Amino acid sequence: MAPKKPPCLPSLLLPLLTLLLPQADTRSFIVDRENDRFLLDGAPFRFVSGSLHYFRVPRVLWADRLLKMRMSGLNAVQFYVPWNYHEPEPGVYNFNGSRDLTAFLNEASIADLLVILRPGPYICAEWEMGGLPAWLLQKPEIQLRTSDPDFLAAVDSWFKVLLPKLYPWLYHNGGNIISIQVENEYGSYKACDFTYMRHLAGLFRALLGDRILLFTTDGPEGLKCGSLQGLYTTVDFGPADNMTEIFALLRKYEPHGPLVNSEYYTGWLDYWGQNHSTRSISAVTKGLEAMLKLGASVNMYMFHGGTNFGYWNGADEKGRFLPITTSYDYDAPISEAGDPTPKLFALRNVISKFQEIPLGPLPPPSPKMMLGPLTLHLDGYLLSFLDILCPHGPIHSILPMTFEAVKQDHGFMLYRTYLTHTVSEPTQLWVPNNGVHDRAYVMVDGVFQGVLERNMKHQLFLMGKMGAKLDILLENMGRLSFGSNSSDFKGLLEPPVLGQTALTQWLMFPLKVDKLVKWWFPLPLLRSSHSQAPSGPIFYSTTFSILGEGGDTFLFLPGWTKGQVWINGFNLGRYWTRQGPQQTLYVPRPLLFSRGALNKITLLELENVPPEPQIQFLDRPILNSTLHKTYIYSLSADTQSPSEPMELSGH
């Protein structure tokens, strides 16, 4: 930790004190351009680092993951700071619990890891809106990641809170932060606004001083717009890329100093409906060894991926909308459950050829637990709980409003209107201009009709009598997180059209589902019985106990379709069993009550319940089972064509 200021002492003792105490002023981390290297306290230094995101790992597990990284031979940890995780509303800040950034810095210090910090304001990270707060979009015309005064004012306000917290942790102040990134892969963004980048660099300097090393990171195609004079330029690429060509390109922007790959990809992210991504051990280790032989500093992204709990996953736009899975296992050297993998041992062996590895074995895998099958019981349809889900009542508007307009950042919102005339024949319901963001569950008088989905399925056929109640539950599947995305508003962006009639006079219910699950569902509810499997948005739950201490486990939902799951009130994340590839959700042991205490699991199933509403807890994950081919639905018609392989470039 940063040393505390000494107490007031008689002036005669101060010279003696300066001789006896180690001084922060003697600590330094600088670029030695003449010799193409870093110097740490004046000695040649090269970092071999790994990425870990504190916001994807429960706080009680931070120390375990960091220790395993250090025991793997790493001397640094790299991580982002997601703005939206810490400022949920303008001027409202949260640095408590798993958001305690200084506690994480302290854990890294205890693990003897230096820190490479990436505070944004934009981080990508496959995180909701790339870490930017959704409340920025309450100003619909805002130009994100530019010198737009509205955006800069919000950034300045945030950094004036965040950066002073980091200042004591800078290496030369006695802390463990050796370098800080300005923005993130800005060259992949459409704006190329150097005024914005210069503003950020000036802000960092004003709040952190001149001694901390500031750097940028871009893919090779982004160096032109992402680099800035006065900031150290680094690059990112994976094992399949041409290292020689990319480092040669980097030298055009940074002629002297150490070569740095700030994101060397050990694996890759997963999208719903695509296959589980992997990187071979041989390719990853070969690339790492080649870079270390060159004397380069390397950060492996990710070294431990973790989990997109709750609603925190991001999304990409690559020809269509691609939401990212709950698991962020990433095929990383340390698995989602924190276990060492064969990839870790292979990388550790490579690192040992270049620098000393800490003595002692790596901690073994955590204990795992199996349980079930367990039968869940029907709590009731979502529509039955509107008074509790939306206690302040609906918002009325002639035209539907977006999530952002009603200050609903995540989760779900229900749109309701009434048919103004009888529709006696199946009639098309659709939303113009691909205006469903992101997935809509349609009901007429409480009866589930089907799904409308962004880019994928954009029409249903309905019937109903005049005055029939039309409910459309909108799910935010995660805002765009990478690259040249524009503002990603959620909800119904256009009025739905039934036949030739644009539907108006909407009631909008911003739903507080997490509060319902946490505070209401622990109370006994009247169980409903159905002779057939129900459909549409519906809650199921059960309780279970664990004998003994239990362990980490993986929730398997065979036959369930899509929804959200909570354990003991904690939002575990999304499941989409029918889509894949992820079939299980990681359940960390600390979330469960052991020794016979009752645990509660609640599901919000959005579409179809299996004939036997059961779940199981497995002792290993299933992350690579895509149950059917993925289809792209043309926006001009509901014709289907096989999807093309995803290009794994851009991060």
Side-chain angles (χ1 to χ4, degrees):
M1 285 188 63
K4 296 179 180 178
K5 291 182 178 180
C8 183
L9 293 172
S11 58
L12 291 177
L13 291 180
L14 285 177
L16 180 62
L17 185 68
T18 60
L19 293 174
L20 294 177
L21 289 181
Q23 292 298 297
D25 284 347
T26 66
R27 293 164 59 94
S28 63
F29 179 75
I30 62 171
V31 175
D32 177 5
R33 294 184 184 274
E34 289 185 9
N35 297 291
D36 295 335
R37 63 189 182 182
F38 291 120
L39 296 177
L40 185 73
D41 299 338
F45 178 79
R46 174 246 297 284
F47 64 75
V48 181
S49 170
S51 289
L52 177 154
H53 298 153
Y54 65 95
F55 43 92
R56 286 187 161 113
V57 179
R59 176 173 175 163
V60 292
L61 300 175
W62 288 349
D64 172 79
R65 306 309 194 248
L66 290 165
L67 172 63
K68 287 169 181 169
M69 293 175 73
R70 183 69 187 104
M71 296 300 291
S72 302
L74 305 185
N75 54 18
V77 58
Q78 184 203 82
F79 61 92
Y80 289 117
V81 179
W83 180 4
N84 54 8
Y85 197 59
H86 294 285
E87 192 178 3
E89 301 173 39
V92 176
Y93 303 101
N94 187 345
F95 290 94
N96 302 316
S98 288
R99 291 170 169 82
D100 191 337
L101 179 57
T102 55
F104 185 76
L105 286 164
N106 190 50
E107 291 287 2
S109 179
I110 292 169
D112 193 25
L113 289 166
L114 297 169
V115 168
I116 301 161
L117 195 67
R118 309 172 82 182
Y122 163 84
I123 65 169
C124 182
E126 287 77 62
W127 189 253
E128 154 76 15
M129 202 166 152
L132 300 176
W135 50 258
L136 291 170
L137 302 182
Q138 291 173 18
K139 296 183 176 179
E141 302 304 318
I142 195 168
Q143 298 298 305
L144 304 174
R145 302 176 70 193
T146 71
S147 49
D148 176 351
D150 285 337
F151 184 67
L152 289 185
V155 170
D156 290 356
S157 177
W158 160 236
F159 275 148
K160 286 173 183 175
V161 171
L162 174 67
L163 297 185
K165 291 180 180 293
L166 304 177
Y167 184 78
W169 292 89
L170 303 183
Y171 186 77
H172 58 268
N173 290 335
N176 51 359
I177 300 173
I178 56 172
S179 60
I180 294 182
Q181 179 180 277
V182 177
E183 241 275 354
N184 182 63
E185 294 180 327
Y186 191 64
S188 297
Y189 193 55
K190 60 189 176 184
C192 201
D193 184 343
F194 288 108
T195 302
Y196 164 62
M197 285 294 286
R198 282 191 290 268
H199 177 92
L200 283 185
L203 184 62
F204 276 66
R205 286 290 176 221
L207 294 170
L208 297 178
D210 294 331
R211 294 183 60 185
I212 185 68
L213 176 66
L214 300 180
F215 70 99
T216 61
T217 303
D218 286 281
E221 71 290 338
L223 290 169
K224 181 178 179 181
C225 285
S227 58
L228 188 71
Q229 188 173 1
L231 306 180
Y232 196 74
T233 305
T234 75
V235 72
D236 54 41
F237 58 87
D241 297 305
N242 188 315
M243 178 188 74
T244 304
E245 288 184 3
I246 293 173
F247 276 151
L249 179 62
L250 177 61
R251 279 293 181 224
K252 295 181 180 180
Y253 294 87
E254 200 62 77
H256 302 288
L259 297 167
V260 179
N261 184 345
S262 288
E263 288 190 11
Y264 177 61
Y265 303 117
T266 62
W268 201 253
L269 60 142
D270 286 347
Y271 302 112
W272 290 113
Q274 301 288 335
N275 291 323
H276 175 55
S277 299
T278 60
R279 289 282 193 273
S280 75
I281 293 173
S282 60
V284 174
T285 53
K286 182 180 177 182
L288 177 64
E289 186 160 2
M291 286 185 287
L292 296 183
K293 282 181 178 177
L294 281 179
S297 285
V298 181
N299 174 72
M300 286 171 272
Y301 190 104
M302 297 291 297
F303 208 81
H304 170 52
T307 309
N308 293 313
F309 294 117
Y311 309 110
W312 287 114
N313 67 278
D316 278 349
E317 185 81 59
K318 295 184 177 180
R320 63 187 178 92
F321 180 70
L322 291 166
I324 291 155
T325 58
T326 300
S327 171
Y328 200 66
D329 176 83
Y330 214 84
D331 194 33
I334 298 175
S335 75
E336 182 177 11
D339 296 332
T341 68
K343 186 176 287 184
L344 182 148
F345 291 104
L347 289 168
R348 189 180 191 227
N349 184 54
V350 170
I351 296 167
S352 70
K353 299 176 184 179
F354 298 90
Q355 60 191 40
E356 190 175 338
I357 302 286
L359 294 174
L362 278 160
S366 63
K368 303 297 189 297
M369 179 187 75
M370 295 181 69
L371 186 68
L374 305 174
T375 299
L376 272 64
H377 307 286
L378 173 63
D379 286 319
Y381 287 93
L382 177 139
L383 295 179
S384 303
F385 299 107
L386 281 186
D387 289 345
I388 309 167
L389 286 164
C390 186
H392 298 296
I395 299 160
H396 179 264
S397 175
I398 295 173
L399 301 178
M401 299 168 69
T402 64
F403 277 51
E404 295 75 19
V406 300
K407 301 183 179 181
Q408 175 83 349
D409 288 345
H410 308 295
F412 303 89
M413 186 153 71
L414 184 78
Y415 293 78
R416 172 174 286 177
T417 191
Y418 297 88
L419 300 188
T420 56
H421 59 279
T422 296
V423 181
S424 55
E425 298 290 334
T427 301
Q428 184 185 47
L429 175 75
W430 63 292
V431 182
N433 299 318
N434 195 27
V436 171
H437 282 200
D438 300 308
R439 196 169 167 86
Y441 306 89
V442 181
M443 294 152 278
V444 175
D445 283 337
V447 178
F448 183 55
Q449 305 293 313
V451 174
L452 300 172
E453 186 176 354
R454 179 175 178 173
N455 296 133
M456 295 287 283
K457 190 173 189 308
H458 57 271
Q459 64 177 16
L460 287 173
F461 289 87
L462 306 181
M463 294 188 296
K465 295 181 179 179
M466 185 175 69
K469 183 169 57 183
L470 174 65
D471 285 315
I472 305 178
L473 179 69
L474 257 291
E475 180 185 11
N476 168 3
M477 285 288 291
R479 290 183 181 82
L480 295 172
S481 51
F482 171 72
S484 299
N485 56 287
S486 54
S487 299
D488 190 15
F489 296 93
K490 297 301 185 184
L492 289 176
L493 274 56
E494 301 269 355
V497 176
L498 183 60
Q500 302 297 318
T501 305
L503 301 177
T504 59
Q505 302 300 334
W506 290 91
L507 296 173
M508 286 152 297
F509 298 79
L511 303 183
K512 308 300 180 187
V513 183
D514 292 74
K515 287 186 177 180
L516 173 76
V517 171
K518 191 170 185 178
W519 300 114
W520 181 259
F521 277 179
L523 302 176
L525 296 176
L526 292 174
R527 301 293 189 188
S528 304
S529 60
H530 282 259
S531 57
Q532 61 184 32
S535 61
I538 192 167
F539 288 102
Y540 272 75
S541 67
T542 193
T543 56
F544 61 95
S545 58
I546 299 166
L547 301 178
E549 289 299 324
D552 286 350
T553 188
F554 302 90
L555 175 63
F556 182 42
L557 302 121
W560 296 82
T561 306
K562 184 183 191 304
Q564 204 84 17
V565 59
W566 294 260
I567 290 185
N568 295 326
F570 180 85
N571 192 330
L572 207 60
R574 309 176 198 273
Y575 66 88
W576 201 349
T577 310
R578 186 166 294 178
Q579 187 84 332
Q582 181 179 356
Q583 298 293 309
T584 57
L585 295 177
Y586 170 53
V587 184
R589 177 180 175 180
L591 290 182
L592 298 169
F593 304 129
S594 56
R595 298 181 179 274
L598 277 183
N599 294 271
K600 176 121 186 189
I601 183 166
T602 302
L603 264 63
L604 171 57
E605 168 59 54
L606 296 165
E607 295 184 45
N608 294 294
V609 177
E612 294 185 25
Q614 294 184 329
I615 58 165
Q616 299 177 51
F617 291 98
L618 308 181
D619 60 359
R620 63 191 62 192
I622 305 172
L623 297 177
N624 58 350
S625 179
T626 302
L627 299 185
H628 62 81
K629 287 184 178 179
T630 302
Y631 292 97
I632 296 177
Y633 290 75
S634 164
L635 291 182
S636 58
D638 271 352
T639 56
Q640 297 177 348
S641 59
S643 65
E644 297 178 359
M646 293 308 304
E647 183 183 345
L648 296 182
S649 62
H651 186 265

